[in-house]
Amino acid sequence: MTTYMRDKPSMLGPRASKFLLLSALILTHLLPTQLLAQRSKSPWQTLTGSAPLIIARGGFSGLLPDSSVDAYSIVSQTSVSAAVLWCDVQLTKDGVGICFPDVKMMNASSIQDAYPKRKNSYLLNGVPAQDWFTIDFTLKDLGTVFLIRGILSRSDAFDNNQYAISTVQDIAMELKPKSFWLNVQHDAFYAQHNLSISKFLLSVPKTVTINYLSSPEVNFLRNIRFGKNGPKFVFRFLEKDDVEVSTNQTYGSLMGNLTFIKTFASGVLVPKSYIWPLEDQYLQPHTSFVQDAHKAGLEVYASGFANDFDMAYNYSFDPLAEYLSFMDNGDFSVDGFLSDFPLTASSAVDCFSHLGSNASTQVDFLVISKNGASGDFPGCTDLAYSKAIKDGADIIDCSVQMSLDGVPFCLNSVDLGESTSIVQSPFRNRSATVPEIGGTLAGLYSFSLTWSEIQTLKPAITNPYSRNFNLFRNPKERSSGKLVSLSDFLNLAKNSSSLAGVLISVENAAYLREKQGLDVVKAVLDTLTKAGYSNATTTSKKVMIQSTNSSVLVDFKKQSRYETVYQVEETIRDILDSAIQDIKKFADAVVVRKQSIFPVSDSFTTGQTNLVERLQKFQLPVYVELFQNEFVSQPWDFLSDATVEINSHVTGAGINGTITEFPLTAARYKRNKCLTRKDLPPYMSPVQPAGLLSIMSPSSLPPAEAPNPVFTDADVTEPPLPPVIAKAPTSSPGPLSTGEKAPNGQTRVALPLLLSAFAVVLTSLLLV
């Protein structure tokens, strides 16, 4: 794995050490000076034909406090070389221009702690506002005020770093940005308090180069006058119903008069909804705004881009997909992105634009679905599998469950209540407590219903982050699709020309044999044979059998030549050689959890194990689960970007495959054109494990946790599967016995179910 670059001391004075530390945090290589020449030669549909600008709002404000020196410092080290630093200019009481996100200070600073009694009330654009305002404090007063996160969904781990508020001149002189964008607002408000934005800007020393100047106020841009080499003027549109103070027109009205805007500005900055409107958080057809503005000679910069909020369901929580829709849609491209995460914007523009559907694979690893594309459709349905294939999965998976009448079918859990509508069906009275599977919690199990009964149930999309984070997956399709039998699954896969194969997961085999009279191993083997998978002349598709039970894989090895995959369900830090040698006897590959590679504490990585290297040394490929797109599923180190996380596991840790609920994200990563370069750009370099811990104040460090266990040969060894014991016939299905004991010596069973019967009902109702 490559190491992160450490730059030489620059002109940051006492801030140099922290700047160097941040440089070391995200990077591996300096951005080559010839980068622009390496970009796609496909024509851009921007006004000038150039690639869209990356504009870093307040620096890398998605990671560090907005407008802090450190947030600005790392932009040049994590983004395209032409990235622009954005500064929201506010005026202090003594007329000094500072970089701060708003004239109101409480949300993004410690002002309330520093001056608890200096809250004030003003009319701001005619609306009463109570807060701490920059106009009530001199620059000296603000010396005891520090920058903090302004968005609560972001980590507060850097709030105690005592980031000082910087002046415009501080940022320009110390960082010397290649391009500097000043955004000014509330000119009329400042004028009411005998302060002048124009006066400040015109008094800025000639050593400070302002490349872009934006404002949402017409008269401000029309009246200010710079010399010959002044900045580009950009008119900033606010929300359509907001009123522009100098014309008393709504911004929605002004967008219909772009020729007027062109008389005093060379570009416009608009919320992304001007271009791709939303309804119920779904994309509507794009407007003609970009084309209309280009016809008027105006560049169009789009705002509101962040990896961690306000994203249409259409993008499947994938920020790269959102960027691409604004520049690689075949109809238009915006001229720039105002982003809190300039690294993601940079990789979108430079690595993933203009790939096309036939772009070749640049890195070799398997994209394995988890219940199909279960991030977009209910898992294990025909729709989820079809989308996984369409999205570029190499392997689609089926977690096999058994029905009462012995039909193997695909579903993520043996408990039907977790992903179907059974609690709203006539079968809800068939709940049972099965200690071998669900511990003391009741469940509605697949082996309590016949396959024909199961087929009457509606599937339900899983929402793993709905309760704590209010993040829901594709609500319009929350119960779409139909459940499929293993036979139908295999036929679907066999008829796909793009798939390399299938993965079949088998659990609870011992219990099903002893207590339900069902032989899941035989059922799977028979279905594979009937579908033609045992005959190489019928299909060349790879078959992988996965289980957490070594006894299951041993049984499959005895009866077939299919590849076997051992899943280590625990989070571990290492594995003994003897355990690996035992695994080699019955498995051809291993599945481990993400945290077994990058241990995590309080959502920060604390290092990297050598688990992948150790297993690969014994010729065991390593597949890792579970990859998801939601930013809350990733440690902060991966910058709320699923592609950064994949890159760090593939390029950094060297894994052989990703198991993912969003196959499109991983499949697209395989084709990104930056991976072919001799020098990887910084936004395609793996992150440094535990790197963020090095820049936290000691008081913010996550607590030390006990190390994860070492996996031993005792964890692997299991007795053989028991024989099938025929189940006594019953007149009609009913609740299962709750008093059975676990099979003798059977040490490995599925994890305890998380939901009680009541919780299952409640969860299902929330999905309606």
Side-chain angles (χ1 to χ4, degrees):
M1 178 178 174
T2 53
T3 57
Y4 289 110
M5 179 210 71
R6 296 185 180 273
D7 203 353
K8 296 180 180 179
S10 64
M11 299 179 65
L12 295 180
R15 295 171 174 151
S17 60
K18 185 168 285 188
F19 169 60
L20 294 178
L21 198 54
L22 279 163
S23 298
L25 170 64
I26 306 294
L27 306 179
T28 306
H29 302 285
L30 277 169
L31 188 65
T33 56
Q34 69 272 25
L35 179 60
L36 292 177
Q38 295 175 338
R39 284 185 173 164
S40 170
K41 299 185 186 307
S42 301
W44 287 98
Q45 292 176 291
T46 55
L47 182 64
T48 64
S50 301
L53 275 182
I54 309 301
I55 309 155
R57 192 187 70 84
F60 208 128
S61 56
L63 173 66
L64 296 168
D66 190 311
S67 305
S68 63
V69 168
D70 288 343
Y72 284 124
S73 298
I74 65 171
V75 171
S76 63
Q77 304 292 337
T78 59
S79 310
V80 293
S81 60
V84 182
L85 296 190
W86 165 286
C87 164
D88 283 297
V89 180
Q90 315 299 337
L91 292 183
T92 63
K93 186 175 183 178
D94 47 347
V96 178
I98 59 172
C99 291
F100 192 81
D102 195 6
V103 67
K104 297 181 290 184
M105 301 191 70
M106 183 178 70
N107 193 48
S109 77
S110 64
I111 190 76
Q112 186 174 5
D113 297 328
Y115 300 102
K117 297 181 179 180
R118 293 179 66 174
K119 190 174 186 178
N120 213 337
S121 299
Y122 292 110
L123 282 177
L124 194 61
N125 291 343
V127 179
Q130 281 193 337
D131 210 291
W132 284 258
F133 292 82
T134 62
I135 62 171
D136 292 328
F137 302 91
T138 65
L139 182 63
K140 183 178 180 181
D141 292 335
L142 296 179
T144 58
V145 178
F146 305 111
L147 297 166
I148 61 174
R149 61 172 177 163
I151 297 176
L152 292 179
S153 61
R154 293 173 179 170
S155 173
D156 62 354
F158 307 104
D159 286 359
N160 294 326
N161 281 20
Q162 296 191 334
Y163 289 119
I165 294 174
S166 298
T167 67
V168 172
Q169 191 169 351
D170 286 339
I171 300 302
M173 297 303 296
E174 293 182 0
L175 298 179
K176 301 188 182 306
K178 290 186 177 181
S179 198
F180 201 21
W181 185 312
L182 301 187
N183 178 65
V184 298
Q185 197 166 339
H186 308 305
D187 176 57
F189 172 75
Y190 286 119
Q192 292 168 9
H193 298 277
N194 299 316
L195 294 168
S196 172
I197 285 277
S198 299
K199 182 179 178 181
F200 163 73
L201 291 172
L202 295 173
S203 67
V204 169
K206 292 183 179 180
T207 52
V208 176
T209 300
I210 305 171
N211 304 93
Y212 298 87
L213 179 65
S214 61
S215 174
E217 299 176 34
V218 169
N219 282 354
F220 171 78
L221 291 176
R222 295 185 74 185
N223 294 332
I224 191 169
R225 294 288 183 269
F226 284 86
K228 182 179 179 181
N229 297 318
K232 281 187 174 183
F233 286 0
V234 178
F235 180 64
R236 184 177 190 180
F237 282 82
L238 303 182
E239 296 301 326
K240 292 180 182 179
D241 292 334
D242 290 345
V243 176
E244 196 281 317
V245 293
S246 55
T247 63
N248 203 32
Q249 296 184 53
T250 65
Y251 289 94
S253 298
L254 286 171
M255 67 181 287
N257 197 358
L258 295 175
T259 54
F260 167 66
I261 304 298
K262 177 59 179 173
T263 62
F264 59 86
S266 61
V268 291
L269 173 66
V270 298
K272 56 189 181 183
S273 60
Y274 276 49
I275 301 167
W276 283 101
L278 298 180
E279 184 176 315
D280 298 328
Q281 209 58 26
Y282 282 94
L283 289 178
Q284 301 303 297
H286 68 73
T287 69
S288 62
F289 183 87
V290 176
Q291 294 100 318
D292 294 342
H294 284 171
K295 288 178 183 177
L298 291 165
E299 292 181 308
V300 179
Y301 306 98
S303 66
F305 290 88
N307 294 4
D308 51 1
F309 62 86
D310 192 28
M311 201 174 295
Y313 292 122
N314 309 68
Y315 301 128
S316 303
F317 301 100
D318 182 353
L320 273 177
E322 181 176 39
Y323 286 110
L324 292 172
S325 75
F326 280 80
M327 64 176 174
D328 207 10
N329 54 60
D331 293 330
F332 63 85
S333 172
V334 298
D335 300 274
F337 296 101
L338 179 61
S339 174
D340 292 12
F341 292 83
L343 180 147
T344 302
S346 295
S347 65
V349 170
D350 192 41
C351 303
F352 295 97
S353 63
H354 304 136
L355 283 182
S357 58
N358 296 320
S360 58
T361 296
Q362 308 299 335
V363 60
D364 185 23
F365 69 95
L366 287 179
V367 177
I368 305 170
S369 75
K370 183 68 171 182
N371 306 315
S374 54
D376 295 302
F377 291 99
C380 298
T381 60
D382 55 340
L383 294 180
Y385 288 129
S386 295
K387 189 170 194 305
I389 295 170
K390 179 182 177 182
D391 287 348
D394 300 305
I395 305 288
I396 58 173
D397 71 305
C398 171
S399 296
V400 173
Q401 312 302 336
M402 295 293 288
S403 67
L404 177 64
D405 51 345
V407 177
F409 67 98
C410 304
L411 198 65
N412 67 308
S413 171
V414 65
D415 187 347
L416 297 170
E418 291 191 16
S419 52
T420 76
S421 62
I422 191 169
V423 295
Q424 299 163 319
S425 76
F427 311 120
R428 60 183 176 272
N429 63 344
R430 298 192 193 176
S431 64
T433 302
V434 181
E436 298 92 334
I437 297 177
T440 60
L441 302 179
L444 290 156
Y445 294 103
S446 68
F447 43 75
S448 300
L449 278 72
T450 65
W451 174 234
S452 61
E453 290 173 331
I454 291 170
Q455 287 179 292
T456 67
L457 303 176
K458 286 185 177 181
I461 201 166
T462 55
N463 288 291
Y465 304 107
S466 60
R467 186 166 299 176
N468 294 329
F469 302 99
N470 203 35
L471 294 176
F472 292 88
R473 293 173 171 176
N474 200 6
K476 284 186 177 179
E477 307 292 349
R478 60 191 173 194
S479 58
S480 297
K482 63 179 181 178
L483 299 178
V484 297
S485 66
L486 176 60
S487 177
D488 290 339
F489 167 83
L490 292 173
N491 287 330
L492 174 67
K494 188 168 67 172
N495 293 329
S496 168
S497 60
S498 62
L499 282 178
V502 296
L503 181 146
I504 299 171
S505 180
V506 176
E507 300 296 337
N508 306 311
Y511 170 81
L512 290 171
R513 283 187 171 189
E514 279 199 324
K515 303 300 182 182
Q516 298 298 325
L518 298 170
D519 191 345
V520 63
V521 173
K522 183 177 186 301
V524 168
L525 289 172
D526 287 350
T527 308
L528 281 165
T529 299
K530 289 178 183 177
Y533 281 76
S534 61
N535 189 340
T537 61
T538 306
T539 179
S540 60
K541 294 286 189 291
K542 176 191 297 191
V543 175
M544 304 161 72
I545 308 293
Q546 176 182 302
S547 183
T548 59
N549 295 120
S550 60
S551 54
V552 170
L553 299 181
V554 167
D555 218 28
F556 273 101
K557 274 289 187 186
K558 288 179 180 178
Q559 302 183 61
S560 71
R561 295 184 178 182
Y562 301 128
E563 291 187 24
T564 49
V565 181
Y566 184 57
Q567 181 179 358
V568 179
E569 57 186 332
E570 299 91 342
T571 299
I572 62 175
R573 74 175 187 271
D574 201 356
I575 184 169
L576 297 182
D577 284 355
S578 56
I580 301 176
Q581 290 166 347
D582 282 348
I583 292 171
K584 282 280 291 182
K585 296 174 183 177
F586 61 83
D588 304 299
V590 176
V591 171
V592 299
R593 293 182 175 186
K594 291 187 299 185
Q595 290 193 22
S596 293
I597 299 174
F598 293 105
V600 173
S601 177
D602 263 11
S603 295
F604 289 93
T605 62
T606 57
Q608 180 178 343
T609 70
N610 65 348
L611 189 62
V612 174
E613 180 183 350
R614 303 238 316 108
L615 289 165
Q616 290 175 343
K617 184 179 178 181
F618 284 81
Q619 285 74 54
L620 282 171
V622 180
Y623 309 130
V624 177
E625 71 168 23
L626 177 65
F627 288 87
Q628 299 166 312
N629 282 358
E630 290 97 338
F631 73 96
V632 294
S633 72
Q634 304 140 16
W636 296 113
D637 306 67
F638 300 129
L639 307 173
S640 302
D641 185 337
T643 299
V644 172
E645 182 179 42
I646 292 169
N647 184 54
S648 295
H649 281 80
V650 174
T651 303
I655 69 173
N656 302 97
T658 59
I659 300 175
T660 173
E661 294 180 326
F662 297 88
L664 177 61
T665 304
R668 185 188 56 214
Y669 167 79
K670 293 177 68 170
R671 298 181 289 116
N672 92 75
K673 55 199 175 190
C674 288
L675 294 176
T676 62
R677 298 179 186 167
K678 182 179 180 181
D679 295 315
L680 280 178
Y683 33 87
M684 264 305 125
S685 298
V687 302
Q688 177 66 44
L692 289 179
L693 302 184
S694 62
I695 62 167
M696 286 183 201
S697 67
S699 62
S700 298
L701 289 171
E705 296 185 355
N708 295 321
V710 175
F711 203 69
T712 69
D713 40 349
D715 296 310
V716 179
T717 305
E718 293 177 356
L721 286 177
V724 178
I725 300 176
K727 185 180 178 183
T730 57
S731 57
S732 62
L736 300 181
S737 171
T738 60
E740 289 97 341
K741 297 180 181 179
N744 292 333
Q746 186 70 18
T747 60
R748 301 288 293 252
V749 296
L751 290 173
L753 298 178
L754 298 177
L755 298 176
S756 66
F758 175 76
V760 169
V761 174
L762 180 61
T763 301
S764 298
L765 290 176
L766 290 173
L767 293 172
V768 176

